[in-house]
Amino acid sequence: MDASSFINALRRFMAIRGPVQQIRSDCGTNFKGAQNELESALKETDQKIVETYLNSQECEWIFNSPHASHTGGVWERMIGISRRILDSMMAELRPTRLTHEVLSTLMAEVTAIVTNRPLVAILSDPSAPEILTPSTLLTQKTATLKSTPGNFVPQDLYTKQWRQVQLLANRFWSRWRKEFLPTLQYRRKWTTDVPNLQVGDLVLLRCKESPRNDWPLAHVSKTLSSADEKVRKVEVTTSKNGSKQVYTRPVTELILLKTEYELNSCS
């Protein structure tokens, strides 16, 4: 998907869901390209109108640091599970071509399945409030979308389109439950405080693309603190092919070798 397609997708989303205050995404080239094109388009319009619109919408676009897919947290996990299931389903259906109508309806069914997962523990008390789901927050409705009644069999892939969709949606639901439930199990979190990286620290870059016996060293040139004053990503300066390069990296991809204080003490 190129930047133009993404901008159209973003407009479709906002047309259905309404204006948004904050957008979070990874650093995909299509997202970066879309941001650049939108900024160029804004320069061509009346500046006062743009300022009024941005002030009224207060929309902010936040990019995760490169090489830090874990920053996405929950949504990256949901995307990963859905993608794996859809990839395997499409591989099984390779001889069968899905029309645009079937595929778009299937993705709508998949969206309904993913957004109707419970966000909190389900109580056994029948008088308890309704289960809170992402769909509840998005639509402001507590009723869930019921599945289409009927018995759908593999032969339906070669019959009417609506039966194709329901068969595929049922298959996705079956696999989704098996892969989603393990994500609800308890996981250990980082609970030990460690000192923040500081400007001037010498670090080793964990780079999968580095050739054998190549150990890329870098100095921290800028720290980027989160709202809780913890440094989770930094800008590092390194030398590559004889020229200075600056990268943004999460601290999980860096290995501290010497602090600035230790370097100054050695000198």
Side-chain angles (χ1 to χ4, degrees):
M1 181 172 65
D2 58 13
S4 179
S5 297
F6 173 75
I7 293 174
N8 286 334
L10 179 61
R11 289 299 305 173
R12 289 195 300 270
F13 176 84
M14 296 179 67
I16 296 174
R17 300 295 186 186
V20 295
Q21 292 186 343
Q22 188 179 91
I23 300 175
R24 286 184 174 269
S25 67
D26 57 20
C27 290
T29 54
N30 50 351
F31 297 148
K32 283 291 188 180
Q35 184 190 41
N36 295 334
E37 289 193 22
L38 285 173
E39 290 177 351
S40 300
L42 290 177
K43 294 178 182 179
E44 300 172 0
T45 59
D46 191 334
Q47 188 66 28
K48 292 184 179 180
I49 297 177
V50 173
E51 291 179 357
T52 302
Y53 175 77
L54 293 178
N55 290 334
S56 63
Q57 300 300 318
E58 298 181 352
C59 184
E60 180 184 18
W61 195 340
I62 300 177
F63 289 97
N64 296 337
S65 56
H67 302 276
S69 58
H70 64 277
T71 308
V74 175
W75 78 74
E76 289 287 358
R77 181 64 173 169
M78 296 298 102
I79 292 173
I81 294 176
S82 302
R83 181 181 296 172
R84 285 198 303 272
I85 297 174
L86 290 172
D87 284 346
S88 62
M89 289 175 57
M90 294 302 110
E92 294 176 0
L93 297 172
R94 187 164 297 173
T96 304
R97 290 189 175 184
L98 303 182
T99 64
H100 178 269
E101 183 177 1
V102 170
L103 184 59
S104 59
T105 309
L106 172 62
M107 295 308 299
E109 295 279 5
V110 168
T111 301
I113 292 173
V114 175
T115 58
N116 273 290
R117 69 186 187 278
L119 293 177
V120 295
I122 300 175
L123 303 178
S124 58
D125 184 2
S127 62
E130 295 288 342
I131 301 172
L132 183 63
T133 68
S135 179
T136 305
L137 301 176
L138 288 171
T139 64
Q140 299 297 302
K141 297 178 181 179
T142 57
T144 58
L145 180 65
K146 303 298 182 182
S147 59
T148 303
N151 183 29
F152 302 97
V153 295
Q155 288 76 11
D156 289 328
L157 287 175
Y158 311 100
T159 58
K160 297 180 179 179
Q161 291 187 352
W162 76 270
R163 298 190 69 88
Q164 293 180 17
V165 172
Q166 297 309 311
L167 174 65
L168 295 175
N170 287 344
R171 287 186 177 180
F172 182 91
W173 166 247
S174 178
R175 298 189 184 186
W176 166 261
R177 287 186 302 174
K178 295 177 182 178
E179 296 206 27
F180 171 65
L181 289 179
T183 66
L184 302 180
Q185 295 175 337
Y186 173 77
R187 286 179 172 81
R188 293 186 299 174
K189 297 180 65 176
W190 300 315
T191 56
T192 304
D193 287 335
V194 295
N196 289 330
L197 289 177
Q198 298 181 356
V199 175
D201 288 351
L202 178 66
V203 295
L204 175 66
L205 301 181
R206 296 176 56 185
C207 184
K208 297 179 181 179
E209 294 78 16
S210 296
R212 185 171 60 248
N213 296 328
D214 181 31
W215 299 90
L217 300 178
H219 281 91
V220 177
S221 55
K222 182 180 180 181
T223 58
L224 305 171
S225 302
S226 302
D228 57 359
E229 301 301 325
K230 298 292 185 181
V231 175
R232 293 183 172 85
K233 60 181 178 179
V234 299
E235 288 185 1
V236 295
T237 303
T238 185
S239 178
K240 185 176 182 180
N241 298 327
S243 61
K244 184 174 71 173
Q245 301 289 334
V246 179
Y247 302 105
T248 301
R249 290 291 183 268
V251 296
T252 54
E253 294 295 316
L254 304 175
I255 300 174
L256 177 63
L257 298 180
K258 286 185 178 294
T259 64
E260 181 189 20
Y261 175 78
E262 292 173 335
L263 291 173
N264 292 333
S265 299
C266 293
S267 60

